[in-house]
Amino acid sequence: VKVKIINKAKHNFGNPTYADPGSSGMDVRASLDDNIWIEPNDVAIIPTGLFMAIPVGYEIQVRPRSGLAAKLGVTVLNTPGTLDASYRGEVCVALHNHSDMPKEVSPGERIAQMVVMPYVNVSLELAEDLSDTDRGEGGFGSTGKN
């Protein structure tokens, strides 16, 4: 995946990186000049300085970092966010502060992770009837707790 880094901030935090060889997601950093605050129950669009050329047949999913979500209540708003192969704009992350305390985001802070995933485009075929399954039309919670 080709990446171009155009940091509007005074810092260049480099390419997204995997924390270790077993990581599926690359850490994405905030491309900021100064700290910003996200107020409780508010959203901030955080620039990353990254522009990407994703090959057709792949997408990049932008996902929350578990530490920010579990410890601080800050998560990616539209998770997973999808970067399509046709998109060439800056990768920005919509962070939502679910907590009751303001959250500070610092320049270079790891704010999300990106996972590269293949996808398949399908053709939808109109049908009068669908095949039966054991689950049938059971929706939310219909398969039980265990």
Side-chain angles (χ1 to χ4, degrees), residues 141-146:
S142 66
T143 59
K145 290 184 178 182
N146 298 326

Side-chain angles (χ1 to χ4, degrees), residues 104-116:
E104 186 175 22
V105 179
S106 303
E109 182 175 348
R110 294 178 299 156
I111 57 170
Q113 56 184 329
M114 296 188 313
V115 176
V116 179

Side-chain angles (χ1 to χ4, degrees), residues 55-119:
V56 172
Y58 292 87
E59 66 165 331
I60 292 181
Q61 295 179 0
V62 179
R63 300 179 181 178
R65 291 194 63 244
S66 60
L68 280 179
K71 295 176 183 173
L72 301 173
V74 176
T75 189
V76 175
L77 180 63
N78 58 324
T79 185
T82 298
L83 299 171
D84 294 309
S86 58
Y87 180 65
R88 292 295 184 271
E90 182 174 13
V91 176
C92 293
V93 178
L95 286 183
H96 183 247
N97 181 358
H98 289 278
S99 77
D100 58 0
M101 300 291 295
K103 165 61 176 117
E104 186 175 22
V105 179
S106 303
E109 182 175 348
R110 294 178 299 156
I111 57 170
Q113 56 184 329
M114 296 188 313
V115 176
V116 179
M117 298 290 295
Y119 67 85

Side-chain angles (χ1 to χ4, degrees), residues 3-6 14-16 28 48-52 89-91 114:
V3 62
K4 180 169 69 170
I5 301 173
I6 304 176
N15 282 343
V28 179
T48 67
L50 303 174
F51 297 75
M52 308 186 87
E90 182 174 13
V91 176
M114 296 188 313

Side-chain angles (χ1 to χ4, degrees), residues 5-14 29-36 46-51 90-92 105-109:
I5 301 173
I6 304 176
N7 283 311
K8 298 173 186 109
K10 59 188 168 194
H11 305 287
N12 181 349
F13 299 108
R29 297 179 180 274
S31 179
L32 301 168
D33 280 329
D34 299 303
N35 295 354
I36 66 163
I46 310 295
T48 67
L50 303 174
F51 297 75
E90 182 174 13
V91 176
C92 293
V105 179
S106 303
E109 182 175 348

